[in-house]
Amino acid sequence: MILGALEAGGTKMVCAIGNEQGEILERISIPTVSPEETMPQMIAFFREHHIEALGVGCFGPINPVKGTATYGYITSTPKLAWQQYNIVGAFEEALGCPVGFDTDVNAAMLGEATFGIAKGLDNCIYVTIGTGVGVGVYINGGLLHGMMHPEAGHLLLQRHPSDSYPGKCPFHGNCLEGLAAGPAIEARWGARGIDLKDRREVWELEAYYIAQACVNFTLVYSPRRIILGGGVMHQEQLFPMVRQQYQELMADYVVTPELENLNRYIVPCSLGDNQGVMGCLELALEAVGEQLLAKGLQNGKLFDL
Ligand code: ZN
């Protein structure tokens, strides 16, 4: 099948063509401006390749809950031009094919669960730490939505006694994103993370917050693995620090085979930063399956499609 993938970000739209094996055949990037300007360019690209379904992993907040009035909308995003925009409806109308829809981090989680390091696991967490923090949650073999979708990037954390930085989040003084995303590192230390590589205290503090979040994810979601991705996690020295602080904070409270080897429990993403696009391909495929199922049910012959 020819599947379309859209990794919709606040600064760029990555549009790709691929197949159900997760192979990416072509990819372009379009600046995110406004629906009026950006949508026609994306639609033209997908039309040109005659895609049979589209999967959209989208910046948020969004409404991914099927059956609700604003399903498929980007909702209260700070990107004003896209507020209350029915992105799924616009693609369905223009392309006439099934459209799968979820958050960008849930799509990345799905990519890892289908093609990557979480393949075969029933429960897993994907955390991306970059300009913001997003968390994708895969539970009992499916992505978690609930009343909207998890916003665990804003998990409230205990501040380190030595940290006087007030936090970057306009809503919370001490949330994960506000204390540990790229802009917080830059504001706290006066330089970009990439230029602070050799400052051990920068990464020890960063690891303290990420490890706290990971402990909380273990306690709340019971994941079999925690995947850490995003630009900040390109600082690979963070991984052993996070694992060590995780061990100290967990204090052997939870004892499972998974936690015996933290090198296999807290891991980097595995698909070379393609997990988002590959997850969108899987979202597209799932949308095809759901449409076939709906048609089968309508015709009253579920097994004769
Ligand atoms: Zn916050």
Side-chain angles (χ1 to χ4, degrees):
M1 281 187 95
I2 303 171
L3 301 172
L6 167 59
E7 205 177 15
T11 55
K12 62 178 180 178
M13 300 286 193
V14 176
C15 302
I17 305 299
N19 59 28
E20 58 268 55
Q21 283 82 43
E23 290 169 327
I24 300 166
L25 307 170
E26 193 167 341
R27 170 176 5 210
I28 61 165
S29 178
I30 296 169
T32 306
V33 185
S34 62
E36 294 73 26
E37 196 170 325
T38 313
M39 289 296 291
Q41 296 175 52
M42 295 193 286
I43 288 165
F45 173 77
F46 291 126
R47 273 194 183 141
E48 189 188 320
H49 289 87
H50 306 288
I51 61 169
E52 295 165 78
L54 175 65
V56 180
C58 194
F59 68 92
I62 64 169
N63 181 354
V65 184
K66 293 197 175 79
T68 56
T70 57
Y71 164 73
Y73 281 58
I74 300 171
T75 56
S76 57
T77 173
K79 299 280 290 180
L80 295 180
W82 297 85
Q83 265 188 13
Q84 304 305 328
Y85 181 66
N86 182 1
I87 191 168
V88 169
F91 277 124
E92 280 175 345
E93 192 180 326
L95 300 171
C97 69
V99 178
F101 186 55
D102 218 307
T103 63
D104 42 10
V105 274
N106 260 351
M109 176 67 256
L110 186 62
E112 291 286 0
T114 310
F115 305 108
I117 198 160
K119 195 171 175 179
L121 301 181
D122 54 354
N123 282 32
C124 188
I125 302 289
Y126 183 96
V127 187
T128 179
I129 306 168
T131 51
V133 178
V135 182
V137 182
Y138 190 75
I139 281 205
N140 298 341
L143 295 166
L144 177 64
H145 296 137
M147 65 176 180
M148 54 176 274
H149 47 77
E151 276 288 345
H154 292 264
L155 188 75
L156 302 180
L157 300 178
Q158 193 165 14
R159 184 182 293 279
H160 193 280
S162 72
D163 186 16
S164 58
Y165 175 63
K168 188 79 178 168
C169 175
F171 299 96
H172 321 107
N174 60 325
C175 72
L176 173 60
E177 179 171 306
L179 291 173
I185 297 175
E186 190 171 343
R188 182 189 287 112
W189 300 97
R192 295 192 324 140
I194 203 160
D195 299 319
L196 295 164
K197 193 169 175 54
D198 299 328
R199 298 265 305 271
R200 188 170 174 90
E201 70 274 25
V202 171
W203 306 109
E204 286 287 358
L205 183 64
E206 186 70 11
Y208 173 76
Y209 290 130
I210 297 171
Q212 261 195 69
C214 289
V215 167
N216 285 323
F217 295 148
T218 298
L219 297 175
V220 173
Y221 294 125
S222 192
R224 294 189 190 275
R225 185 161 285 158
I226 296 175
I227 303 169
L228 302 179
V232 169
M233 295 314 300
H234 288 162
Q235 301 286 336
E236 289 173 5
Q237 72 274 23
L238 269 172
F239 281 92
M241 294 179 183
V242 170
R243 291 178 190 123
Q244 190 187 341
Q245 300 222 37
Y246 176 97
Q247 191 148 31
E248 287 169 21
L249 290 165
M250 183 59 88
D252 289 333
Y253 176 67
V254 175
V255 179
T256 63
E258 286 86 349
L259 294 188
E260 275 174 20
N261 183 355
L262 291 182
N263 293 332
R264 288 176 49 79
Y265 188 70
I266 298 174
V267 299
C269 50
S270 70
L271 298 170
D273 284 336
N274 285 325
Q275 56 279 347
V277 169
M278 293 169 81
C280 290
L281 293 173
E282 179 65 15
L283 281 176
L285 190 65
E286 289 183 1
V288 173
E290 282 173 25
Q291 192 180 67
L292 285 173
L293 188 62
K295 277 185 186 164
L297 288 173
Q298 258 174 18
N299 296 339
K301 44 178 185 174
L302 182 55
F303 300 105
D304 184 21
L305 299 172

